[in-house]
Amino acid sequence: MSQPADPADQPAQGLKPLPMVIFASRWLQVPLYLGLIVAQCVYVFLFLKELWHLVSHAFDFSEQQIMLVVLGLIDVVMISNLLIMVIVGGYETFVSRLRLQGHPDQPEWLSHVNASILKIKLAMAIIGISSIHLLRTFIEAGNIGGPTATNYTATGVLLQTLIHTIFIFSAIGIAWVDRMTLGGTSKGH
């Protein structure tokens, strides 16, 4: 007696019209990813502009000003990394395979990306970006109430710290729910 073929092994060409249209609708995300690539270009321009600002004022800036500009550069790089994760990981997960197997520049994380892992990676990247912003805030907040003007208030610093803490708890919650749904067999990525 022969066993019936696994439906997952069946080609997609046998789809009825409505499921075929629904499945093809994933391609509507391509302009979104292309828009994020344009945003990536804007961040490259911002990085180069800030780098030039740092280099051209290196002799004029205090150590604190240099640290703030460098933290800004790190922030731009982390946001850029977040964009790459969303563009590459999202396209691979939700639109179509990139077929990069064997390519020497294939990101290591891409070989085991799925929606759950992408969510956790994004949450960790957002925490990293928030950490940089919070560090910049703490550095500049040292001038609160002092002779040098600052854009921060004690309430603003407290709220930013609270929001950062919420990001951390959210990431822990996402990872915990992911681990529960996989029955505790999730490997760290």
Side-chain angles (χ1 to χ4, degrees), residues 116-174:
S116 293
I117 291 170
L118 192 57
K119 279 190 293 189
I120 293 169
K121 286 191 176 296
L122 292 175
M124 295 308 295
I126 290 169
I127 289 170
I129 293 165
S130 175
S131 297
I132 296 295
H133 280 267
L134 195 56
L135 181 58
R136 288 178 69 182
T137 299
F138 286 155
I139 291 169
E140 290 188 35
N143 297 327
I144 292 178
T148 318
T150 181
N151 294 330
Y152 296 100
T153 63
T155 304
V157 173
L158 182 64
L159 287 174
Q160 201 170 348
T161 305
L162 179 66
I163 290 168
H164 179 73
T165 305
I166 290 170
F167 284 157
I168 292 171
F169 283 124
S170 296
I172 291 169
I174 290 169

Side-chain angles (χ1 to χ4, degrees), residues 13 28 36 50 66 70 75 82 84 108 122 125 132 139 144:
Q13 59 199 6
L28 291 173
L36 288 178
E50 286 299 312
I66 291 173
V70 169
D75 186 40
L82 176 65
I84 289 298
E108 180 273 329
L122 292 175
I132 296 295
I139 291 169
I144 292 178

Side-chain angles (χ1 to χ4, degrees), residues 76-144:
V76 170
V77 169
M78 292 182 80
I79 291 171
S80 184
N81 291 343
L82 176 65
L83 281 169
I84 289 298
M85 278 194 288
V86 171
I87 294 165
V88 175
Y91 185 89
E92 175 87 11
T93 302
F94 300 111
V95 178
S96 183
R97 298 281 178 221
L98 292 170
R99 304 200 192 320
L100 296 175
Q101 291 76 11
H103 192 282
D105 295 330
Q106 177 186 1
E108 180 273 329
W109 56 270
L110 192 57
S111 63
H112 50 264
V113 72
N114 62 37
S116 293
I117 291 170
L118 192 57
K119 279 190 293 189
I120 293 169
K121 286 191 176 296
L122 292 175
M124 295 308 295
I126 290 169
I127 289 170
I129 293 165
S130 175
S131 297
I132 296 295
H133 280 267
L134 195 56
L135 181 58
R136 288 178 69 182
T137 299
F138 286 155
I139 291 169
E140 290 188 35
N143 297 327
I144 292 178

Side-chain angles (χ1 to χ4, degrees), residues 33-102:
Y33 293 120
L34 293 174
L36 288 178
I37 292 170
V38 171
Q40 178 88 352
C41 293
V42 171
Y43 267 101
V44 169
F45 176 76
L46 177 64
F47 181 88
L48 293 174
K49 185 176 104 177
E50 286 299 312
L51 183 62
W52 175 253
H53 185 238
L54 174 65
V55 170
S56 64
H57 291 69
F59 295 110
D60 305 329
F61 282 171
S62 68
E63 181 183 355
Q64 183 177 358
Q65 288 172 312
I66 291 173
M67 188 182 340
L68 290 172
V69 173
V70 169
L71 286 174
L73 292 173
I74 293 169
D75 186 40
V76 170
V77 169
M78 292 182 80
I79 291 171
S80 184
N81 291 343
L82 176 65
L83 281 169
I84 289 298
M85 278 194 288
V86 171
I87 294 165
V88 175
Y91 185 89
E92 175 87 11
T93 302
F94 300 111
V95 178
S96 183
R97 298 281 178 221
L98 292 170
R99 304 200 192 320
L100 296 175
Q101 291 76 11

